[in-house]
Structures are given as structure tokens and as C-alpha cells.
Amino acid sequence: MLGKITLLESSPEMGTLEQLLSHKKTEYRFLIVWSFKIIYRFSKDQITISRIFHTSRNSNKLKGI
């Protein structure tokens, strides 16, 4: 998992846009690593991981980010 997160430093746009968070002002993206979904956002000089959760959990809870 850490290896995939490290790749974000050089390619922050590699993740897929998170449609469940499209109502937010900030654009959120996600990566799937094993059975985990990594939700993150990025700006010019910073990547922020907002949440990591198991994909078997209820994704509707994401709207609370």
C-alpha cells in the first residue's frame, strides 16, 4: 500500500475521480490497493489522503469527508 501511495508524489492524477464526492469544491480521487480504497486530493505542492477504508464497507459514509 505504501508503494502505491509513494507513486502519487510523481503522478498525483493517476487515481480515478471519486464521483461520490463530486459535490465538493475540491476534486477527490481514489486508488484501489488490494481491498482498500484510498481517497485523496492534491494541490500544486501537497497531497492529502483523506481516508483509507476497506471496500466492503458502506461507501455512502464518504459523503461526510
Side-chain angles (χ1 to χ4, degrees):
M1 188 178 300
L2 289 177
K4 196 71 130 170
I5 292 171
T6 303
L7 286 175
L8 289 175
E9 290 179 313
S10 60
S11 302
E13 294 182 2
M14 70 187 284
T16 305
L17 289 174
E18 179 54 76
Q19 295 301 316
L20 291 173
L21 298 173
S22 61
H23 64 284
K24 299 283 191 177
K25 291 181 183 178
T26 304
E27 182 178 88
Y28 285 85
R29 293 181 172 263
F30 72 90
L31 296 173
I32 300 291
V33 180
W34 301 306
S35 296
F36 293 91
K37 189 172 193 177
I38 303 167
I39 307 291
Y40 70 96
R41 58 190 163 92
F42 67 94
S43 62
K44 184 177 173 181
D45 58 350
Q46 183 176 358
I47 298 170
T48 303
I49 296 176
S50 300
R51 188 164 295 176
I52 298 174
F53 71 97
H54 198 274
T55 55
S56 67
R57 296 184 57 100
N58 184 353
S59 61
N60 286 330
K61 292 182 179 182
L62 276 181
K63 294 180 181 178
I65 289 180

